[in-house]
Amino acid sequence: MTSPSRPVEPDGKPPATAPDPLSLVRSRSYVILLLIAAVLGVPISAAAFGFLALVNKLQSLTYTDLPQALGFHGTPNWWPVPLLAVAGLLVGPIIRYLPGNGGHEPAHGFVASGPTPTVNLPGVALAALASLALGAVIGPEAPLIALGSGLAVAALRLTRKSLPKQATALVGASGSFAAISTLLGSPLLGAFLLMEMSGFGGAVLGAVLVPGLLASGIGALIFTGLDSWTGLGTYSLTLPDVPHAATPDAAGFGWALLIGAAAALLGVGIRWLALHLLKLVEPRRLTATVLAGVIVGVIALLYAEWTGHPASGLLYSGQSALGPLLTANAQYSAGALTVLVACKTVAYCVSMAAFRGGPVFPAMFVGAAGGIALSHLPGLGVTPGLAMGVGAMSVAMLKLPMTSLLLATLLLGRDGLTVMPLVIVAVVVSYVLTLRLTPPPTAAPATEPDAAGPPSR
C-alpha cells in the first residue's frame, strides 16, 4: 500500500509547520505577552475614554451650546446643515492628505486588517473625531478598534525590543479589546465582536482571545474608575426602563420571520447604496464630502420639520438616542417612526460613503426604530420588536451572528432572556438571507502562465 505523498512547496521543500497554539500558551513568552496586554490595557482604555468624552463634549458644544451663544432659543431645525458642511470641510482634507486615508471605509463593513500603523493614527483619530462630533450618522467602534491596536503596537515599539510578527499582532488585538471594553455595554460583547471579525477558531482562538479578554477586563475597570473620578459618564450602551416582555407565542415567531427577512433586504440595500455612493465620492473627495455633509443635514432638517421631533434624534450614531427612543416610544406615532427609519437609513448610507466611523450603532438604531414601529401592529410588543429589529439589522450589516444575537439580548437585561428565542429566529433568517442576496466577491483574474514567465529562484 502506497503511503500518501507529503505536500511540497513550488521550490520542492516541505511546507513550514504551523505553530502549535497549546505550545504557545505553555511558553514563557506567552506569559510575558499576557503581562504586556495587562499593562497596556490601562493607558489604552484611558485614551479611549478620553476620546469618547471629547466626542460627547464637542457634540454638546456644537449642537446645543453654540446656537444658544449666538442668540437662538434652542437649536434651529436648519442648524445641522452648516454643522455637517463644516464636518465635510474637515474630514475631506484629512482623508485626502493625511497618511492612512483617515481609516477604513465604513461602507466596506468590518475588515480584519491587523494593527494600525503608527503613522496612520493622527488621520484616523482626526477623521473620526470630526465625523462623530459634528453629526455624521456613524459609530465610534471602528475608529476605537483601529486606535487601540495602533497605540498598543506603538507603545510596544517604544521598548525597542524586536518581537515576532505574531506577537505584535496579538498585542495589537489586545489594544483593540481594551479600547472597546465597555462601549457595547459589556466586555463580553466587545470580545465576541473582535472574535468573529478575526475568523479564528479552535485552540488558535483561545490563544488569541485570552490576552484580549484580560485587556478588556482591565479596560472595563478603568472606564468605571474614570466615570467615578471624573463624573463624565461611562459611554456604554445601556437601555433604562425596558418594558416587560411577555412569553413568546406563535405570533411572535411569525414576526421574527418577517423582521428577519425585512432587515436582510434593508441591509443589502443600505450596503449597495453606500458602496455606489462611495464610487462617486472617491474621485472628488474634497467637494463630495462637503456635499454629503449638506445632504445629511438637509435630511435631518426635513425629518425635524415633518415629524416635530428634534433633528438630534436622527443625527450621530444613535447610541445615546436609543434609550430615549425606547422610553418615549409612546410619543412617536407609527408614521413618525417610519419617517425616522427612512431618513436615518439614507443619512446612514451617505455618511458611510463620505465620513469615517463604524457601522454598528446606526444599524442597531435603525433596527430598533423599525421594530418599535412594527409594535403598533397586532401581535408584537415593544420589547420583542426592538430586540428582533436590533439583532436582525445588526447581522444584516455586520454578518456577525453571535455578536448580533448578544447585542440584542444582553442589552435588554432580564427581558433579553425572555425574547432570546425570537431574536435567534430573526437573526438566523436575516443572516442566511443576507448571505444569499449578497453577490460573491469578484475573483481577481488569474495570470496566464506564459505571461507570468518562469518562477524566480
Side-chain angles (χ1 to χ4, degrees):
M1 181 170 157
T2 307
S3 60
S5 60
R6 188 179 181 183
V8 295
E9 298 289 349
D11 59 1
K13 297 179 181 179
T17 304
D20 179 16
L22 295 179
S23 299
L24 173 65
V25 173
R26 296 189 187 104
S27 66
R28 180 174 177 272
S29 60
Y30 190 76
V31 176
I32 295 174
L33 284 175
L34 287 176
L35 293 175
I36 292 174
V39 171
L40 290 180
V42 176
I44 290 175
S45 56
F49 182 92
F51 180 83
L52 293 173
L54 180 58
V55 167
N56 185 70
K57 184 64 177 176
L58 288 175
Q59 287 177 351
S60 300
L61 240 138
T62 55
Y63 192 83
T64 304
D65 297 343
L66 184 57
Q68 292 178 358
L70 293 175
F72 294 103
H73 298 288
T75 304
N77 288 339
W78 52 262
W79 186 257
V81 179
L83 190 66
L84 279 151
V86 172
L89 283 171
L90 295 174
V91 174
I94 292 171
I95 295 174
R96 178 75 176 273
Y97 297 115
L98 289 186
N101 199 34
H104 182 67
E105 294 281 1
H108 293 305
F110 278 127
V111 177
S113 55
T116 305
T118 305
V119 70
N120 295 353
L121 291 177
V124 173
L126 292 173
L129 187 63
S131 300
L132 295 166
L134 297 179
V137 182
I138 211 77
E141 68 288 341
L144 284 179
I145 290 171
L147 292 172
S149 68
L151 288 173
V153 173
L156 192 63
R157 287 175 180 163
L158 291 176
T159 63
R160 301 184 182 277
K161 290 184 179 180
S162 178
L163 292 177
K165 186 177 180 180
Q166 184 183 21
T168 303
L170 197 60
V171 171
S174 299
S176 296
F177 274 71
I180 63 165
S181 56
T182 62
L183 181 65
L184 300 177
S186 165
L188 184 62
L189 279 170
F192 266 92
L193 174 64
L194 294 170
M195 178 185 71
E196 286 195 289
M197 279 178 58
S198 69
F200 288 125
V204 175
L205 173 60
V208 173
L209 191 59
V210 169
L213 285 174
L214 179 60
S216 184
I218 291 173
L221 293 174
I222 297 300
F223 266 67
T224 303
L226 287 174
D227 169 37
S228 176
W229 181 48
T230 64
L232 294 174
T234 60
Y235 309 109
S236 297
L237 181 63
T238 56
L239 285 182
D241 304 322
V242 176
H244 176 68
T247 303
D249 54 14
F253 280 98
W255 277 113
L257 296 173
L258 179 61
I259 290 174
L265 293 172
L266 183 57
V268 171
I270 289 173
R271 192 178 298 105
W272 178 88
L273 179 56
L275 289 172
H276 279 70
L277 290 175
L278 179 61
K279 294 178 182 178
L280 299 176
V281 169
E282 284 182 320
R284 48 190 75 85
R285 171 62 66 180
L286 299 181
T287 55
T289 308
V290 177
L291 180 59
V294 171
I295 290 172
V296 174
V298 169
I299 293 171
L301 167 63
L302 294 175
Y303 164 76
E305 292 288 339
W306 196 345
T307 65
H309 294 284
S312 59
L314 181 137
L315 299 175
Y316 308 111
S317 69
Q319 174 189 0
S320 59
L322 198 53
L325 176 67
L326 177 62
T327 302
N329 72 88
Q331 301 175 17
Y332 286 81
S333 65
L337 287 168
T338 303
V339 173
L340 175 59
V341 170
C343 291
K344 186 84 172 183
T345 297
V346 178
Y348 182 26
C349 293
V350 177
S351 296
M352 283 199 296
F355 293 96
R356 288 294 182 265
V360 174
F361 289 111
M364 292 179 64
F365 187 90
V366 168
I372 294 174
L374 291 174
S375 70
H376 287 262
L377 299 174
L380 181 64
V382 172
T383 299
L386 180 144
M388 288 188 285
V390 168
M393 198 66 216
S394 296
V395 80
M397 292 304 301
L398 307 179
K399 300 180 184 176
L400 305 176
M402 284 300 298
T403 300
S404 301
L405 173 62
L406 289 174
L407 273 174
T409 53
L410 294 183
L411 185 62
L412 301 176
R414 184 178 302 175
D415 289 284
L417 296 176
T418 304
V419 301
M420 183 180 283
L422 300 178
V423 179
I424 290 174
V425 174
V427 166
V428 169
V429 171
S430 179
Y431 180 62
V432 173
L433 191 54
T434 297
L435 294 183
R436 292 186 64 88
L437 293 175
T438 302
T442 305
T447 307
E448 294 294 333
D450 294 340
S456 59
R457 295 284 181 182

